[in-house]
Amino acid sequence: MAFDLADLRQRAEKGDASALFELGKAYQGGSGVKPDPRRALSYYERAAALDHWPAVNNFAAALERGDGAKPDVRRAEALYERAAAAGHMVARYNLAILLLKRQGGAQDDARAAQLLREAAEQGHINAQIALAGLLQAGRGVPQDLSQALDWLRRAAAAGCVPAKTSLAFAYQRGTGTPANLPAAIALYRDAAEAGDATAQYNLGLRYARGEGVARDDGIALQWFRKAADRDFPHALNALGVIYARGTAVPQNLSEALRLYRLAAERGNVDGQTNLGMAYRNGTQVAADPVQAAMWLTLAAAQPAGEEARNALGAVREGLAPAQWRRVQEMAGRWRARPPAIGSDAARENRGCENG
């Protein structure tokens, strides 16, 4: 144990805010003690009453999550406001994200953008990434692709791997800067080697298409596998395509179908389309027009579902009215499979905490 628990408790009983805060962290994370969210919350609350700003932030975060007590978002927001007003950068970031999540409209978005800018200027890396996203989308601030790129560069320069991936995507697409595929590939490779699934998939895609590198299905397969192992839906589908075509591996339609299903169940539009087509054509699975129409319906509802929309019409024409009603009921009940525990997709924020 890296601290003297008895000493912390003695100091806490005397009203030492720092000791109260450290005890809160210990009981929250189970550091040297059995985890106890309720006790952690109590220590945070006592430290927060003494204007210990990290404790105020942690108290608010626990209330927002319902960690140790029933969720109380309104009280959490008020606590974040207190700490943010005092200049605490993590509270500024957390308050901004809370405002963006509730989608309260232009006023909330503008307030969130301002908070993110304040935290970003203080060096909060997640705030830099989030602010870049708002600048790219023009949400809460006028769209400014060049300024967004500057914030991504700052976050990437600090070593944040997801920021490197986002910066690579900007260079690839020429977003806020002239397209620079060699720079994009170098960043994708750096982030992919650090274990970022999005970068692994995008690097694999460059090799599969021969974009900026010599086409190499074998190398593409390696990167797709790494990303698929992290439950990245696009990579699951891409790996399925490789098995279906028999490029870089012996053709294996059963494995392709399995991978399409995994991607489809995670909500991936290409996986849903490919699975629907498999049911339509009877490819390594018994032809089933109802299942085909269900998966194609889900894919067609997505912006990138043009292929599914084109295929769905013909499938629907072959269905009886009762079958089409069943398709609609199935599609209405469908919910995406949660990402695997510990996967990149399971993490709420792909970022780099530093506060």
Side-chain angles (χ1 to χ4, degrees), residues 96-97 99-101 108-117 126-145 147-148 151-152:
I97 298 304
L99 294 173
L100 292 172
K101 281 181 179 178
D108 274 0
D109 287 353
R111 170 77 169 133
Q114 180 58 37
L115 287 162
L116 288 175
R117 187 177 298 278
N126 275 358
Q128 292 169 350
I129 297 171
L131 179 58
L134 294 188
L135 287 162
Q136 288 173 335
R139 181 180 177 186
V141 287
Q143 187 181 55
D144 190 329
L145 300 180
Q147 189 181 149
W151 284 113
L152 286 178

Side-chain angles (χ1 to χ4, degrees), residues 88-169:
H88 192 259
M89 72 174 184
V90 183
R92 284 172 167 169
Y93 169 77
N94 286 336
L95 178 56
I97 298 304
L98 186 153
L99 294 173
L100 292 172
K101 281 181 179 178
R102 77 181 182 194
Q103 298 182 334
Q107 187 173 351
D108 274 0
D109 287 353
R111 170 77 169 133
Q114 180 58 37
L115 287 162
L116 288 175
R117 187 177 298 278
E118 291 168 355
E121 289 172 348
Q122 290 175 284
H124 194 281
I125 297 174
N126 275 358
Q128 292 169 350
I129 297 171
L131 179 58
L134 294 188
L135 287 162
Q136 288 173 335
R139 181 180 177 186
V141 287
Q143 187 181 55
D144 190 329
L145 300 180
S146 178
Q147 189 181 149
L149 200 69
D150 288 341
W151 284 113
L152 286 178
R153 286 184 179 126
R154 286 181 62 170
C160 181
V161 172
K164 292 179 181 180
T165 301
S166 297
L167 186 58
F169 193 73

Side-chain angles (χ1 to χ4, degrees), residues 149 153 164-189 206 211-213:
L149 200 69
R153 286 184 179 126
K164 292 179 181 180
T165 301
S166 297
L167 186 58
F169 193 73
Y171 281 130
Q172 176 196 326
R173 293 293 183 90
T175 305
T177 182
N180 187 337
L181 200 50
I185 289 169
L187 284 162
Y188 278 142
R189 191 179 305 280
R206 306 287 78 75
E211 294 177 353
V213 291

Side-chain angles (χ1 to χ4, degrees), residues 26 53 68 74 80 83 114 135 144 172 185 199 230 236 298 331 333-334:
W53 303 120
R74 182 175 297 181
Y80 283 142
Q114 180 58 37
L135 287 162
D144 190 329
Q172 176 196 326
I185 289 169
R230 292 175 174 269
L236 291 166
L298 293 172
R333 291 195 305 268
W334 182 85

